[in-house]
PDB file of all heavy atoms in Angstrom:
ATOM      1  N   LEU T  27     -23.963  25.200  -9.595  1.00 94.00           N
ATOM      2  CA  LEU T  27     -24.283  25.111 -11.108  1.00 94.00           C
ATOM      3  C   LEU T  27     -25.309  23.975 -11.351  1.00 94.00           C
ATOM      4  O   LEU T  27     -26.382  24.168 -12.020  1.00 94.00           O
ATOM      5  CB  LEU T  27     -23.036  24.670 -11.842  1.00 94.00           C
ATOM      6  CG  LEU T  27     -21.971  25.653 -12.105  1.00 94.00           C
ATOM      7  CD1 LEU T  27     -20.644  25.183 -12.543  1.00 94.00           C
ATOM      8  CD2 LEU T  27     -22.486  26.878 -13.008  1.00 94.00           C
ATOM      9  N   ALA T  28     -25.188  22.832 -10.576  1.00 93.00           N
ATOM     10  CA  ALA T  28     -26.233  21.810 -10.685  1.00 93.00           C
ATOM     11  C   ALA T  28     -27.586  22.204 -10.151  1.00 93.00           C
ATOM     12  O   ALA T  28     -28.632  21.859 -10.752  1.00 93.00           O
ATOM     13  CB  ALA T  28     -25.745  20.662  -9.811  1.00 93.00           C
ATOM     14  N   SER T  29     -27.525  23.171  -9.121  1.00 92.00           N
ATOM     15  CA  SER T  29     -28.911  23.547  -8.561  1.00 92.00           C
ATOM     16  C   SER T  29     -29.586  24.421  -9.495  1.00 92.00           C
ATOM     17  O   SER T  29     -30.779  24.685  -9.376  1.00 92.00           O
ATOM     18  CB  SER T  29     -28.598  24.231  -7.191  1.00 92.00           C
ATOM     19  OG  SER T  29     -27.963  25.504  -7.433  1.00 92.00           O
ATOM     20  N   GLN T  30     -28.761  25.061 -10.416  1.00 89.00           N
ATOM     21  CA  GLN T  30     -29.385  25.960 -11.462  1.00 89.00           C
ATOM     22  C   GLN T  30     -29.780  25.243 -12.816  1.00 89.00           C
ATOM     23  O   GLN T  30     -30.168  25.868 -13.779  1.00 89.00           O
ATOM     24  CB  GLN T  30     -28.440  27.183 -11.727  1.00 89.00           C
ATOM     25  CG  GLN T  30     -27.925  27.935 -10.507  1.00 89.00           C
ATOM     26  CD  GLN T  30     -29.189  28.569  -9.870  1.00 89.00           C
ATOM     27  OE1 GLN T  30     -29.913  29.408 -10.533  1.00 89.00           O
ATOM     28  NE2 GLN T  30     -29.401  28.362  -8.650  1.00 89.00           N
ATOM     29  N   GLY T  31     -29.461  23.916 -12.823  1.00 93.00           N
ATOM     30  CA  GLY T  31     -29.770  23.046 -13.937  1.00 93.00           C
ATOM     31  C   GLY T  31     -28.649  23.189 -14.984  1.00 93.00           C
ATOM     32  O   GLY T  31     -28.866  22.797 -16.109  1.00 93.00           O
ATOM     33  N   ASP T  32     -27.474  23.780 -14.558  1.00 90.00           N
ATOM     34  CA  ASP T  32     -26.310  23.948 -15.482  1.00 90.00           C
ATOM     35  C   ASP T  32     -25.414  22.682 -15.468  1.00 90.00           C
ATOM     36  O   ASP T  32     -25.308  22.123 -14.325  1.00 90.00           O
ATOM     37  CB  ASP T  32     -25.544  25.130 -15.285  1.00 90.00           C
ATOM     38  CG  ASP T  32     -26.374  26.311 -15.502  1.00 90.00           C
ATOM     39  OD1 ASP T  32     -27.209  26.284 -16.532  1.00 90.00           O
ATOM     40  OD2 ASP T  32     -26.341  27.330 -14.723  1.00 90.00           O
ATOM     41  N   PRO T  33     -24.694  22.357 -16.454  1.00 90.00           N
ATOM     42  CA  PRO T  33     -23.601  21.257 -16.350  1.00 90.00           C
ATOM     43  C   PRO T  33     -22.642  21.669 -15.110  1.00 90.00           C
ATOM     44  O   PRO T  33     -22.177  22.817 -15.140  1.00 90.00           O
ATOM     45  CB  PRO T  33     -22.929  21.240 -17.656  1.00 90.00           C
ATOM     46  CG  PRO T  33     -24.015  21.870 -18.613  1.00 90.00           C
ATOM     47  CD  PRO T  33     -24.624  22.857 -17.809  1.00 90.00           C
ATOM     48  N   SER T  34     -22.328  20.756 -14.363  1.00 91.00           N
ATOM     49  CA  SER T  34     -21.354  21.012 -13.237  1.00 91.00           C
ATOM     50  C   SER T  34     -20.060  20.666 -13.529  1.00 91.00           C
ATOM     51  O   SER T  34     -19.769  19.768 -14.307  1.00 91.00           O
ATOM     52  CB  SER T  34     -21.971  20.364 -11.939  1.00 91.00           C
ATOM     53  OG  SER T  34     -21.966  18.995 -11.999  1.00 91.00           O
ATOM     54  N   ASP T  35     -19.180  21.392 -12.855  1.00 95.00           N
ATOM     55  CA  ASP T  35     -17.662  20.998 -13.003  1.00 95.00           C
ATOM     56  C   ASP T  35     -17.331  19.816 -12.116  1.00 95.00           C
ATOM     57  O   ASP T  35     -18.111  19.424 -11.417  1.00 95.00           O
ATOM     58  CB  ASP T  35     -17.015  22.127 -12.564  1.00 95.00           C
ATOM     59  CG  ASP T  35     -17.093  23.493 -13.441  1.00 95.00           C
ATOM     60  OD1 ASP T  35     -17.491  23.368 -14.527  1.00 95.00           O
ATOM     61  OD2 ASP T  35     -16.857  24.640 -13.072  1.00 95.00           O
ATOM     62  N   ARG T  36     -16.136  19.314 -12.290  1.00 96.00           N
ATOM     63  CA  ARG T  36     -15.735  18.242 -11.377  1.00 96.00           C
ATOM     64  C   ARG T  36     -14.191  18.468 -11.088  1.00 96.00           C
ATOM     65  O   ARG T  36     -13.494  19.061 -11.753  1.00 96.00           O
ATOM     66  CB  ARG T  36     -15.947  16.868 -11.954  1.00 96.00           C
ATOM     67  CG  ARG T  36     -14.968  16.610 -13.228  1.00 96.00           C
ATOM     68  CD  ARG T  36     -15.107  15.170 -13.639  1.00 96.00           C
ATOM     69  NE  ARG T  36     -14.514  15.044 -14.942  1.00 96.00           N
ATOM     70  CZ  ARG T  36     -14.196  13.674 -15.330  1.00 96.00           C
ATOM     71  NH1 ARG T  36     -14.397  12.649 -14.709  1.00 96.00           N
ATOM     72  NH2 ARG T  36     -13.668  13.594 -16.615  1.00 96.00           N
ATOM     73  N   ALA T  37     -13.899  18.057  -9.842  1.00 98.00           N
ATOM     74  CA  ALA T  37     -12.556  18.117  -9.239  1.00 98.00           C
ATOM     75  C   ALA T  37     -12.085  16.665  -8.971  1.00 98.00           C
ATOM     76  O   ALA T  37     -12.856  15.944  -8.272  1.00 98.00           O
ATOM     77  CB  ALA T  37     -12.519  18.989  -8.066  1.00 98.00           C
ATOM     78  N   VAL T  38     -10.893  16.412  -9.317  1.00 98.00           N
ATOM     79  CA  VAL T  38     -10.253  15.113  -8.994  1.00 98.00           C
ATOM     80  C   VAL T  38      -8.827  15.233  -8.453  1.00 98.00           C
ATOM     81  O   VAL T  38      -8.293  16.135  -8.705  1.00 98.00           O
ATOM     82  CB  VAL T  38     -10.107  14.160 -10.248  1.00 98.00           C
ATOM     83  CG1 VAL T  38     -11.567  13.784 -10.794  1.00 98.00           C
ATOM     84  CG2 VAL T  38      -9.401  14.811 -11.379  1.00 98.00           C
ATOM     85  N   MET T  39      -8.573  14.461  -7.348  1.00 98.00           N
ATOM     86  CA  MET T  39      -7.318  14.411  -6.860  1.00 98.00           C
ATOM     87  C   MET T  39      -6.406  13.489  -7.558  1.00 98.00           C
ATOM     88  O   MET T  39      -6.718  12.278  -7.788  1.00 98.00           O
ATOM     89  CB  MET T  39      -7.475  13.918  -5.366  1.00 98.00           C
ATOM     90  CG  MET T  39      -8.424  14.728  -4.474  1.00 98.00           C
ATOM     91  SD  MET T  39      -7.527  16.292  -4.004  1.00 98.00           S
ATOM     92  CE  MET T  39      -8.798  16.855  -2.735  1.00 98.00           C
ATOM     93  N   ILE T  40      -5.180  13.950  -7.869  1.00 98.00           N
ATOM     94  CA  ILE T  40      -4.222  13.054  -8.678  1.00 98.00           C
ATOM     95  C   ILE T  40      -2.858  12.915  -7.956  1.00 98.00           C
ATOM     96  O   ILE T  40      -2.348  14.011  -7.516  1.00 98.00           O
ATOM     97  CB  ILE T  40      -4.079  13.583 -10.217  1.00 98.00           C
ATOM     98  CG1 ILE T  40      -5.403  13.851 -10.769  1.00 98.00           C
ATOM     99  CG2 ILE T  40      -3.184  12.909 -10.850  1.00 98.00           C
ATOM    100  CD1 ILE T  40      -5.380  14.507 -11.968  1.00 98.00           C
ATOM    101  N   ALA T  41      -2.305  11.788  -7.860  1.00 98.00           N
ATOM    102  CA  ALA T  41      -0.985  11.603  -7.303  1.00 98.00           C
ATOM    103  C   ALA T  41      -0.218  10.740  -8.242  1.00 98.00           C
ATOM    104  O   ALA T  41      -0.820  10.120  -9.194  1.00 98.00           O
ATOM    105  CB  ALA T  41      -1.121  11.058  -5.927  1.00 98.00           C
ATOM    106  N   GLN T  42       0.998  10.536  -7.936  1.00 98.00           N
ATOM    107  CA  GLN T  42       1.931   9.746  -8.788  1.00 98.00           C
ATOM    108  C   GLN T  42       1.420   8.281  -8.714  1.00 98.00           C
ATOM    109  O   GLN T  42       1.522   7.597  -9.826  1.00 98.00           O
ATOM    110  CB  GLN T  42       3.349   9.901  -8.246  1.00 98.00           C
ATOM    111  CG  GLN T  42       4.323   9.103  -9.138  1.00 98.00           C
ATOM    112  CD  GLN T  42       5.812   9.578  -8.859  1.00 98.00           C
ATOM    113  OE1 GLN T  42       6.005  10.574  -8.181  1.00 98.00           O
ATOM    114  NE2 GLN T  42       6.722   8.716  -9.244  1.00 98.00           N
ATOM    115  N   THR T  43       1.041   7.791  -7.480  1.00 98.00           N
ATOM    116  CA  THR T  43       0.446   6.461  -7.377  1.00 98.00           C
ATOM    117  C   THR T  43      -0.820   6.499  -6.754  1.00 98.00           C
ATOM    118  O   THR T  43      -1.376   7.630  -6.295  1.00 98.00           O
ATOM    119  CB  THR T  43       1.390   5.579  -6.691  1.00 98.00           C
ATOM    120  OG1 THR T  43       1.421   5.923  -5.264  1.00 98.00           O
ATOM    121  CG2 THR T  43       2.941   5.754  -7.249  1.00 98.00           C
ATOM    122  N   MET T  44      -1.498   5.347  -6.583  1.00 98.00           N
ATOM    123  CA  MET T  44      -2.768   5.363  -5.889  1.00 98.00           C
ATOM    124  C   MET T  44      -2.586   5.086  -4.435  1.00 98.00           C
ATOM    125  O   MET T  44      -3.600   4.970  -3.656  1.00 98.00           O
ATOM    126  CB  MET T  44      -3.729   4.287  -6.465  1.00 98.00           C
ATOM    127  CG  MET T  44      -3.988   4.659  -7.964  1.00 98.00           C
ATOM    128  SD  MET T  44      -5.092   6.145  -8.134  1.00 98.00           S
ATOM    129  CE  MET T  44      -6.544   5.564  -7.288  1.00 98.00           C
ATOM    130  N   ASP T  45      -1.304   5.202  -3.949  1.00 97.00           N
ATOM    131  CA  ASP T  45      -1.248   4.923  -2.460  1.00 97.00           C
ATOM    132  C   ASP T  45      -1.771   6.300  -1.662  1.00 97.00           C
ATOM    133  O   ASP T  45      -1.786   7.311  -2.248  1.00 97.00           O
ATOM    134  CB  ASP T  45       0.342   4.933  -2.178  1.00 97.00           C
ATOM    135  CG  ASP T  45       0.881   3.621  -2.736  1.00 97.00           C
ATOM    136  OD1 ASP T  45       0.249   2.602  -2.995  1.00 97.00           O
ATOM    137  OD2 ASP T  45       2.210   3.679  -2.896  1.00 97.00           O
ATOM    138  N   PRO T  46      -2.148   5.969  -0.445  1.00 98.00           N
ATOM    139  CA  PRO T  46      -2.645   7.186   0.361  1.00 98.00           C
ATOM    140  C   PRO T  46      -1.582   8.169   0.451  1.00 98.00           C
ATOM    141  O   PRO T  46      -0.371   7.889   0.676  1.00 98.00           O
ATOM    142  CB  PRO T  46      -2.942   6.538   1.783  1.00 98.00           C
ATOM    143  CG  PRO T  46      -3.197   5.116   1.484  1.00 98.00           C
ATOM    144  CD  PRO T  46      -2.244   4.722   0.245  1.00 98.00           C
ATOM    145  N   VAL T  47      -1.903   9.433   0.456  1.00 98.00           N
ATOM    146  CA  VAL T  47      -0.909  10.565   0.548  1.00 98.00           C
ATOM    147  C   VAL T  47      -1.066  10.996   2.022  1.00 98.00           C
ATOM    148  O   VAL T  47      -2.173  11.475   2.541  1.00 98.00           O
ATOM    149  CB  VAL T  47      -1.264  11.708  -0.406  1.00 98.00           C
ATOM    150  CG1 VAL T  47      -0.404  12.980  -0.149  1.00 98.00           C
ATOM    151  CG2 VAL T  47      -0.966  11.095  -1.837  1.00 98.00           C
ATOM    152  N   ARG T  48       0.093  11.160   2.708  1.00 98.00           N
ATOM    153  CA  ARG T  48       0.021  11.807   4.071  1.00 98.00           C
ATOM    154  C   ARG T  48       0.464  13.258   3.945  1.00 98.00           C
ATOM    155  O   ARG T  48       1.630  13.524   3.494  1.00 98.00           O
ATOM    156  CB  ARG T  48       0.996  10.995   5.006  1.00 98.00           C
ATOM    157  CG  ARG T  48       0.993  11.590   6.364  1.00 98.00           C
ATOM    158  CD  ARG T  48       1.872  10.731   7.461  1.00 98.00           C
ATOM    159  NE  ARG T  48       1.904  11.253   8.751  1.00 98.00           N
ATOM    160  CZ  ARG T  48       1.070  10.998   9.563  1.00 98.00           C
ATOM    161  NH1 ARG T  48       0.030  10.134   9.449  1.00 98.00           N
ATOM    162  NH2 ARG T  48       1.184  11.564  10.847  1.00 98.00           N
ATOM    163  N   CYS T  49      -0.386  14.121   4.407  1.00 98.00           N
ATOM    164  CA  CYS T  49      -0.210  15.578   4.247  1.00 98.00           C
ATOM    165  C   CYS T  49       0.615  16.144   5.334  1.00 98.00           C
ATOM    166  O   CYS T  49       0.986  15.507   6.306  1.00 98.00           O
ATOM    167  CB  CYS T  49      -1.517  16.237   3.940  1.00 98.00           C
ATOM    168  SG  CYS T  49      -2.503  15.716   2.586  1.00 98.00           S
ATOM    169  N   ASN T  50       0.886  17.431   5.157  1.00 96.00           N
ATOM    170  CA  ASN T  50       1.899  18.192   5.994  1.00 96.00           C
ATOM    171  C   ASN T  50       1.398  18.154   7.557  1.00 96.00           C
ATOM    172  O   ASN T  50       2.318  18.033   8.416  1.00 96.00           O
ATOM    173  CB  ASN T  50       1.936  19.659   5.613  1.00 96.00           C
ATOM    174  CG  ASN T  50       3.265  20.231   5.951  1.00 96.00           C
ATOM    175  OD1 ASN T  50       4.251  19.657   5.769  1.00 96.00           O
ATOM    176  ND2 ASN T  50       3.175  21.498   6.344  1.00 96.00           N
ATOM    177  N   LYS T  51       0.154  18.161   7.820  1.00 96.00           N
ATOM    178  CA  LYS T  51      -0.263  18.109   9.245  1.00 96.00           C
ATOM    179  C   LYS T  51      -0.794  16.747   9.696  1.00 96.00           C
ATOM    180  O   LYS T  51      -1.369  16.633  10.691  1.00 96.00           O
ATOM    181  CB  LYS T  51      -1.351  19.269   9.395  1.00 96.00           C
ATOM    182  CG  LYS T  51      -0.915  20.646   9.079  1.00 96.00           C
ATOM    183  CD  LYS T  51       0.102  21.231  10.054  1.00 96.00           C
ATOM    184  CE  LYS T  51       0.252  22.708   9.883  1.00 96.00           C
ATOM    185  NZ  LYS T  51       0.583  23.180   8.463  1.00 96.00           N
ATOM    186  N   GLY T  52      -0.588  15.890   8.767  1.00 96.00           N
ATOM    187  CA  GLY T  52      -1.074  14.452   9.070  1.00 96.00           C
ATOM    188  C   GLY T  52      -2.256  13.969   8.479  1.00 96.00           C
ATOM    189  O   GLY T  52      -2.596  12.749   8.625  1.00 96.00           O
ATOM    190  N   MET T  53      -3.112  14.840   7.792  1.00 97.00           N
ATOM    191  CA  MET T  53      -4.206  14.274   7.164  1.00 97.00           C
ATOM    192  C   MET T  53      -3.857  13.304   5.974  1.00 97.00           C
ATOM    193  O   MET T  53      -2.802  13.461   5.251  1.00 97.00           O
ATOM    194  CB  MET T  53      -5.110  15.377   6.453  1.00 97.00           C
ATOM    195  CG  MET T  53      -6.173  14.961   5.601  1.00 97.00           C
ATOM    196  SD  MET T  53      -6.909  16.397   4.640  1.00 97.00           S
ATOM    197  CE  MET T  53      -7.663  17.357   5.900  1.00 97.00           C
ATOM    198  N   ARG T  54      -4.625  12.209   5.968  1.00 98.00           N
ATOM    199  CA  ARG T  54      -4.338  11.213   4.834  1.00 98.00           C
ATOM    200  C   ARG T  54      -5.439  11.270   3.874  1.00 98.00           C
ATOM    201  O   ARG T  54      -6.710  11.270   4.064  1.00 98.00           O
ATOM    202  CB  ARG T  54      -4.342   9.814   5.429  1.00 98.00           C
ATOM    203  CG  ARG T  54      -3.095   9.596   6.463  1.00 98.00           C
ATOM    204  CD  ARG T  54      -3.213   8.254   6.921  1.00 98.00           C
ATOM    205  NE  ARG T  54      -2.042   8.150   7.900  1.00 98.00           N
ATOM    206  CZ  ARG T  54      -1.859   6.900   8.591  1.00 98.00           C
ATOM    207  NH1 ARG T  54      -2.532   5.792   8.299  1.00 98.00           N
ATOM    208  NH2 ARG T  54      -0.939   6.900   9.562  1.00 98.00           N
ATOM    209  N   VAL T  55      -5.002  11.303   2.564  1.00 98.00           N
ATOM    210  CA  VAL T  55      -5.953  11.425   1.421  1.00 98.00           C
ATOM    211  C   VAL T  55      -5.750  10.296   0.496  1.00 98.00           C
ATOM    212  O   VAL T  55      -4.694  10.061   0.189  1.00 98.00           O
ATOM    213  CB  VAL T  55      -5.770  12.907   0.821  1.00 98.00           C
ATOM    214  CG1 VAL T  55      -6.705  13.085  -0.352  1.00 98.00           C
ATOM    215  CG2 VAL T  55      -5.833  13.973   1.826  1.00 98.00           C
ATOM    216  N   LEU T  56      -6.740   9.892  -0.037  1.00 98.00           N
ATOM    217  CA  LEU T  56      -6.756   8.817  -1.109  1.00 98.00           C
ATOM    218  C   LEU T  56      -6.977   9.551  -2.490  1.00 98.00           C
ATOM    219  O   LEU T  56      -7.959  10.165  -2.758  1.00 98.00           O
ATOM    220  CB  LEU T  56      -7.813   7.856  -1.037  1.00 98.00           C
ATOM    221  CG  LEU T  56      -7.823   6.988   0.253  1.00 98.00           C
ATOM    222  CD1 LEU T  56      -9.001   6.009   0.379  1.00 98.00           C
ATOM    223  CD2 LEU T  56      -6.543   6.123   0.345  1.00 98.00           C
ATOM    224  N   PRO T  57      -5.968   9.535  -3.372  1.00 98.00           N
ATOM    225  CA  PRO T  57      -6.144  10.043  -4.810  1.00 98.00           C
ATOM    226  C   PRO T  57      -7.286   9.295  -5.410  1.00 98.00           C
ATOM    227  O   PRO T  57      -7.674   8.217  -5.307  1.00 98.00           O
ATOM    228  CB  PRO T  57      -4.817   9.602  -5.443  1.00 98.00           C
ATOM    229  CG  PRO T  57      -3.844   9.219  -4.355  1.00 98.00           C
ATOM    230  CD  PRO T  57      -4.700   8.727  -3.211  1.00 98.00           C
ATOM    231  N   ASP T  58      -7.819  10.141  -6.389  1.00 98.00           N
ATOM    232  CA  ASP T  58      -8.915   9.572  -7.302  1.00 98.00           C
ATOM    233  C   ASP T  58      -8.340   8.842  -8.552  1.00 98.00           C
ATOM    234  O   ASP T  58      -8.736   7.981  -9.067  1.00 98.00           O
ATOM    235  CB  ASP T  58      -9.836  10.646  -7.876  1.00 98.00           C
ATOM    236  CG  ASP T  58     -10.564  11.308  -6.746  1.00 98.00           C
ATOM    237  OD1 ASP T  58     -11.332  10.593  -5.938  1.00 98.00           O
ATOM    238  OD2 ASP T  58     -10.502  12.529  -6.585  1.00 98.00           O
ATOM    239  N   HIS T  59      -7.089   9.327  -8.904  1.00 98.00           N
ATOM    240  CA  HIS T  59      -6.323   8.891 -10.131  1.00 98.00           C
ATOM    241  C   HIS T  59      -4.874   9.007  -9.845  1.00 98.00           C
ATOM    242  O   HIS T  59      -4.384   9.772  -9.089  1.00 98.00           O
ATOM    243  CB  HIS T  59      -6.758   9.701 -11.375  1.00 98.00           C
ATOM    244  CG  HIS T  59      -8.159   9.700 -11.546  1.00 98.00           C
ATOM    245  ND1 HIS T  59      -8.748   8.696 -12.364  1.00 98.00           N
ATOM    246  CD2 HIS T  59      -9.149  10.686 -11.445  1.00 98.00           C
ATOM    247  CE1 HIS T  59     -10.084   9.025 -12.483  1.00 98.00           C
ATOM    248  NE2 HIS T  59     -10.395  10.129 -11.922  1.00 98.00           N
ATOM    249  N   SER T  60      -4.163   8.188 -10.712  1.00 98.00           N
ATOM    250  CA  SER T  60      -2.653   8.384 -10.675  1.00 98.00           C
ATOM    251  C   SER T  60      -2.345   9.111 -12.003  1.00 98.00           C
ATOM    252  O   SER T  60      -3.118   9.522 -12.685  1.00 98.00           O
ATOM    253  CB  SER T  60      -2.087   7.015 -10.801  1.00 98.00           C
ATOM    254  OG  SER T  60      -2.216   6.327 -12.079  1.00 98.00           O
ATOM    255  N   PHE T  61      -1.036   9.363 -12.159  1.00 98.00           N
ATOM    256  CA  PHE T  61      -0.491  10.102 -13.222  1.00 98.00           C
ATOM    257  C   PHE T  61      -0.985   9.495 -14.610  1.00 98.00           C
ATOM    258  O   PHE T  61      -0.943  10.076 -15.662  1.00 98.00           O
ATOM    259  CB  PHE T  61       0.948  10.296 -13.216  1.00 98.00           C
ATOM    260  CG  PHE T  61       1.408  11.229 -12.219  1.00 98.00           C
ATOM    261  CD1 PHE T  61       2.851  11.374 -11.955  1.00 98.00           C
ATOM    262  CD2 PHE T  61       0.613  12.107 -11.465  1.00 98.00           C
ATOM    263  CE1 PHE T  61       3.253  12.192 -10.987  1.00 98.00           C
ATOM    264  CE2 PHE T  61       1.019  12.964 -10.585  1.00 98.00           C
ATOM    265  CZ  PHE T  61       2.453  13.115 -10.332  1.00 98.00           C
ATOM    266  N   ASP T  62      -1.214   8.096 -14.480  1.00 96.00           N
ATOM    267  CA  ASP T  62      -1.399   7.283 -15.751  1.00 96.00           C
ATOM    268  C   ASP T  62      -2.824   7.115 -16.071  1.00 96.00           C
ATOM    269  O   ASP T  62      -3.109   6.593 -17.187  1.00 96.00           O
ATOM    270  CB  ASP T  62      -0.799   5.874 -15.470  1.00 96.00           C
ATOM    271  CG  ASP T  62       0.799   5.925 -15.246  1.00 96.00           C
ATOM    272  OD1 ASP T  62       1.442   6.872 -15.876  1.00 96.00           O
ATOM    273  OD2 ASP T  62       1.247   5.166 -14.491  1.00 96.00           O
ATOM    274  N   ASP T  63      -3.747   7.585 -15.255  1.00 97.00           N
ATOM    275  CA  ASP T  63      -5.135   7.110 -15.526  1.00 97.00           C
ATOM    276  C   ASP T  63      -6.193   8.353 -15.311  1.00 97.00           C
ATOM    277  O   ASP T  63      -7.430   7.966 -15.134  1.00 97.00           O
ATOM    278  CB  ASP T  63      -5.558   5.940 -14.691  1.00 97.00           C
ATOM    279  CG  ASP T  63      -5.804   6.148 -13.330  1.00 97.00           C
ATOM    280  OD1 ASP T  63      -5.442   7.237 -12.870  1.00 97.00           O
ATOM    281  OD2 ASP T  63      -6.341   5.248 -12.549  1.00 97.00           O
ATOM    282  N   HIS T  64      -5.793   9.568 -15.320  1.00 98.00           N
ATOM    283  CA  HIS T  64      -6.740  10.571 -14.994  1.00 98.00           C
ATOM    284  C   HIS T  64      -7.366  11.021 -16.262  1.00 98.00           C
ATOM    285  O   HIS T  64      -6.959  10.907 -17.389  1.00 98.00           O
ATOM    286  CB  HIS T  64      -5.976  11.749 -14.239  1.00 98.00           C
ATOM    287  CG  HIS T  64      -4.891  12.352 -15.165  1.00 98.00           C
ATOM    288  ND1 HIS T  64      -5.073  13.232 -16.108  1.00 98.00           N
ATOM    289  CD2 HIS T  64      -3.554  12.231 -15.149  1.00 98.00           C
ATOM    290  CE1 HIS T  64      -3.975  13.544 -16.657  1.00 98.00           C
ATOM    291  NE2 HIS T  64      -2.998  12.965 -16.149  1.00 98.00           N
ATOM    292  N   PRO T  65      -8.496  11.664 -16.072  1.00 97.00           N
ATOM    293  CA  PRO T  65      -9.211  12.266 -17.291  1.00 97.00           C
ATOM    294  C   PRO T  65      -8.500  13.475 -17.764  1.00 97.00           C
ATOM    295  O   PRO T  65      -7.473  14.018 -17.236  1.00 97.00           O
ATOM    296  CB  PRO T  65     -10.631  12.694 -16.705  1.00 97.00           C
ATOM    297  CG  PRO T  65     -10.282  12.975 -15.220  1.00 97.00           C
ATOM    298  CD  PRO T  65      -9.288  11.929 -14.841  1.00 97.00           C
ATOM    299  N   ASP T  66      -8.885  13.932 -18.944  1.00 97.00           N
ATOM    300  CA  ASP T  66      -8.330  15.136 -19.504  1.00 97.00           C
ATOM    301  C   ASP T  66      -8.623  16.337 -18.516  1.00 97.00           C
ATOM    302  O   ASP T  66      -9.750  16.393 -18.084  1.00 97.00           O
ATOM    303  CB  ASP T  66      -8.801  15.487 -20.829  1.00 97.00           C
ATOM    304  CG  ASP T  66      -8.427  14.450 -21.891  1.00 97.00           C
ATOM    305  OD1 ASP T  66      -7.401  13.863 -21.737  1.00 97.00           O
ATOM    306  OD2 ASP T  66      -9.100  14.219 -22.971  1.00 97.00           O
ATOM    307  N   LEU T  67      -7.654  17.122 -18.293  1.00 98.00           N
ATOM    308  CA  LEU T  67      -7.792  18.221 -17.358  1.00 98.00           C
ATOM    309  C   LEU T  67      -7.851  19.603 -18.113  1.00 98.00           C
ATOM    310  O   LEU T  67      -7.182  19.956 -19.069  1.00 98.00           O
ATOM    311  CB  LEU T  67      -6.630  18.264 -16.359  1.00 98.00           C
ATOM    312  CG  LEU T  67      -6.399  16.976 -15.760  1.00 98.00           C
ATOM    313  CD1 LEU T  67      -5.119  17.178 -14.741  1.00 98.00           C
ATOM    314  CD2 LEU T  67      -7.627  16.601 -14.860  1.00 98.00           C
ATOM    315  N   ASP T  68      -8.654  20.436 -17.564  1.00 98.00           N
ATOM    316  CA  ASP T  68      -8.756  21.931 -17.915  1.00 98.00           C
ATOM    317  C   ASP T  68      -7.913  22.834 -17.100  1.00 98.00           C
ATOM    318  O   ASP T  68      -7.466  23.785 -17.458  1.00 98.00           O
ATOM    319  CB  ASP T  68     -10.252  22.466 -18.021  1.00 98.00           C
ATOM    320  CG  ASP T  68     -11.057  21.504 -18.951  1.00 98.00           C
ATOM    321  OD1 ASP T  68     -10.851  21.547 -20.180  1.00 98.00           O
ATOM    322  OD2 ASP T  68     -11.997  20.888 -18.366  1.00 98.00           O
ATOM    323  N   VAL T  69      -7.811  22.382 -15.839  1.00 98.00           N
ATOM    324  CA  VAL T  69      -7.112  23.108 -14.805  1.00 98.00           C
ATOM    325  C   VAL T  69      -6.307  22.233 -14.011  1.00 98.00           C
ATOM    326  O   VAL T  69      -6.759  21.187 -13.594  1.00 98.00           O
ATOM    327  CB  VAL T  69      -8.218  23.939 -13.952  1.00 98.00           C
ATOM    328  CG1 VAL T  69      -7.350  24.688 -12.917  1.00 98.00           C
ATOM    329  CG2 VAL T  69      -9.083  24.762 -14.651  1.00 98.00           C
TER     330      VAL T  69
END
């Protein structure tokens, strides 16, 4: 979308807290937001 000059969407990772999340196969992910501070969501 951005390459076409259109407004681009955004994706954010949200968890209950801002602590790192350890996933099923061991990957660790840092949330962008907690349940208390995320932007309004469409999806």
Side-chain angles (χ1 to χ4, degrees):
L27 288 168
S29 74
Q30 303 298 305
D32 295 322
S34 61
D35 299 333
R36 65 173 170 165
V38 294
M39 301 283 192
I40 303 172
Q42 186 168 338
T43 71
M44 294 299 291
D45 294 336
V47 173
R48 184 177 176 85
C49 300
N50 206 42
K51 303 294 195 302
M53 178 188 288
R54 296 182 185 181
V55 182
L56 295 175
D58 298 304
H59 300 279
S60 73
F61 289 172
D62 299 322
D63 72 349
H64 60 81
D66 291 339
L67 304 177
D68 302 296
V69 180

